[in-house]
Amino acid sequence: MYKLNKMLIAALAVMGFISAKAQTTLPSSIAQVVKEDASAKTVLENILTRTSIRKFKQQPVEDAKIEALLRAGMAAPTSGNKQPWHFVVLKEKKDIEKYAESNQYHAEDIKKTPLFIFVCADTTRMAEGQSKDLWIQDLSAASENILLAAHALGLGACWTTVYPIEKKVKGISKTLNLPSHLIPLNGIIIGYPAEMEQPKDKWDVQKVTYGIRQ
């Protein structure tokens, strides 16, 4: 699997699917760990340089990249392998404009967004009992995979919250004409960045505890 991952990264780079992002100096502690492992360095740089992008060029996202994003989402871990997700993709201008018309606050920005991926829970594939709400964790893992994949592919992306805000859940469900067994967790906006954002350094050793408190 490790060898396969290295081959995949190399192939994507040759095909132009992995962008040449601005060179970022890794923290010395991480640089030391990955100094002889180009694959690990690529992965960690992608994680540490990802940031939320909200403004996009008026350029469509290629179908091959959309499939790559969805495959990345479906590669996420899920409790009991339930895979309780369903993805709704808006890429056609007419669909995006219809969604924009239903949003009274950000309509103009929405119209300029080339791609939406709504990450929804499929209630027919949820666990039961106390494990029922694990779908939130499962879909959050899938969403983060999509965000990281978008960054790796030279795209910008941003997670926009839907669940658990009831008004948003009902409004988006109605606009997207979702069947009753689907619950939208979020809408990920995606496109080629019109402007670059500097990633935030969120490392804070004060937020880490090693071992059991005495």
Side-chain angles (χ1 to χ4, degrees), residues 15 22 28 40 54 73-74 77 85 119 137 146 158 170 191 204 211:
M15 294 164 62
S28 58
R54 297 174 178 84
M74 293 186 195
W85 46 52
V119 183
Q137 298 180 37
I146 291 173
C158 182
K170 288 183 176 179
D204 184 352

Side-chain angles (χ1 to χ4, degrees), residues 19-49:
S19 66
K21 294 186 286 292
Q23 293 298 313
T24 301
T25 303
L26 288 172
S28 58
S29 57
I30 295 179
Q32 180 66 25
V33 172
V34 302
K35 64 180 180 179
E36 296 179 358
D37 191 332
S39 177
K41 183 179 179 182
T42 298
V43 170
L44 287 169
E45 281 184 340
N46 191 62
I47 293 172
L48 294 175
T49 59

Side-chain angles (χ1 to χ4, degrees), residues 52-189:
S52 295
I53 301 294
R54 297 174 178 84
K55 293 184 179 181
F56 308 103
K57 297 177 182 177
Q58 297 306 290
Q59 175 182 349
V61 178
E62 299 88 337
D63 287 344
K65 289 191 176 184
I66 294 174
E67 181 175 324
L69 296 174
L70 295 171
R71 285 180 176 271
M74 293 186 195
T78 64
S79 177
N81 196 32
K82 291 287 187 181
Q83 302 178 34
W85 46 52
H86 187 90
F87 301 91
V88 177
V89 180
L90 301 188
K91 63 175 184 174
E92 302 297 337
K93 188 173 182 179
K94 62 180 179 62
D95 290 331
I96 292 172
E97 287 183 346
K98 181 179 178 181
Y99 173 58
E101 289 168 2
S102 71
N103 193 306
Q104 57 181 315
Y105 300 109
H106 306 288
E108 291 308 311
D109 288 336
I110 290 172
K111 289 179 182 179
K112 297 175 183 176
T113 302
L115 175 66
F116 283 82
I117 296 180
F118 289 91
V119 183
C120 303
D122 185 338
T123 60
T124 67
R125 295 202 298 270
M126 286 182 182
E128 298 179 354
Q130 290 185 331
S131 299
K132 183 177 180 181
D133 287 340
L134 290 176
W135 68 266
I136 299 171
Q137 298 180 37
D138 295 342
L139 268 63
S140 294
S143 299
E144 181 66 7
N145 273 13
I146 291 173
L147 294 175
L148 291 172
H151 185 47
L153 297 173
L155 300 166
C158 182
W159 174 320
T160 64
T161 301
V162 180
Y163 185 90
I165 303 171
E166 187 174 352
K167 183 178 180 180
K168 287 188 175 182
V169 172
K170 288 183 176 179
I172 288 174
S173 296
K174 181 179 180 180
T175 301
L176 300 181
N177 196 25
L178 296 180
S180 59
H181 66 278
L182 295 184
I183 303 171
L185 175 74
N186 62 42
I188 302 176
I189 58 175

Side-chain angles (χ1 to χ4, degrees), residues 2-15 17-18:
Y2 170 77
K3 184 176 181 181
L4 178 60
N5 286 341
K6 292 182 72 174
M7 291 173 62
L8 178 59
I9 289 171
L12 289 172
V14 170
M15 294 164 62
F17 280 175
I18 291 184

